Amino acid sequence: MIAVALRGFTLAMSRKASLHFIDSSSRHRAELARVGFSLGHHSEVYGDLSELSSHPPREGIIIARDSAEEGGVAVILDRLGKLGIWLPLIAVEAQPRPGRIVEAIKAGALDICLCHWMPTGLRDASPGLRKKPKSSERRAAE
C-alpha cells in the first residue's frame, strides 16, 4: 500500500524521499530506520511529535503510528499543521479495524500500512520503497 503512496514521490523527485518515522518505541524506531536505510532512503526517527517539532522537516514523508489512544491521524495532522509542517503522512498500525482505516484516510493520511510488525510489513508491502537492484544484479537475474 505504501508503494502506491510513495511511487509518485520517488518518480517525481530526482532523489528518493526522506522518511520521517514517529514511534514511541525505541526498538521500533531503530528497526524502522534500518529498513528505511536498506531501501535506499534517508531516514530520521522521532519518539513523538514534540521531538519532531524541535527539528521540523521541510521535505519528505512522515510515517507515524496510528494510535487511537492518542487521537490517531486526525490529531497528528492537526498538530503538524499547527507546527507549519505540511508533509504527506502515511499511517502504520499492526491490526487496525476497518473503521480505523477509513478514519485515517478521511482525516488526511496519504495511505495506511497494515503491518503485523511494521518494518517487515513496510518492506514487503512497498515495492516503491524497495531498493532497486544494480544493473549487474539485474543482468545476473536475467
Side-chain angles (χ1 to χ4, degrees):
M1 288 185 194
I2 293 178
V4 173
L6 294 181
R7 190 170 295 140
F9 289 101
T10 302
L11 295 175
M13 300 170 65
S14 60
R15 59 185 159 69
K16 289 190 176 188
S18 295
L19 304 178
H20 303 276
F21 295 103
I22 303 172
D23 196 301
S24 59
S25 166
S26 60
R27 185 175 74 84
H28 287 168
R29 287 194 305 272
E31 283 299 316
L32 289 165
R34 276 195 286 274
V35 170
F37 290 131
S38 73
L39 295 171
H41 291 269
H42 175 75
S43 299
E44 296 286 340
V45 294
Y46 308 90
D48 56 26
L49 285 170
S50 299
E51 187 176 350
L52 180 94
S53 70
S54 65
H55 302 288
R58 296 294 170 219
E59 60 181 30
I61 300 166
I62 296 174
I63 301 174
R65 185 180 297 238
D66 179 26
S67 173
E69 298 81 34
E70 296 175 15
V73 170
V75 169
I76 294 170
L77 288 171
D78 182 59
R79 289 186 62 199
L80 288 171
K82 288 178 181 174
L83 294 168
I85 300 172
W86 302 104
L87 298 178
L89 173 75
I90 295 174
V92 290
E93 183 54 58
Q95 296 177 329
R97 298 179 330 277
R100 289 292 307 153
I101 297 169
V102 171
E103 287 174 30
I105 298 301
K106 281 185 170 182
L110 186 61
D111 206 344
I112 187 163
C113 180
L114 312 176
C115 305
H116 171 54
W117 195 78
M118 285 178 272
T120 303
L122 181 64
R123 180 179 54 241
D124 295 343
S126 310
L129 282 177
R130 290 188 189 135
K131 192 172 185 178
K132 304 275 189 262
K134 296 177 184 171
S135 58
S136 59
E137 292 172 346
R138 277 183 285 199
R139 276 182 262 148
E142 295 171 354

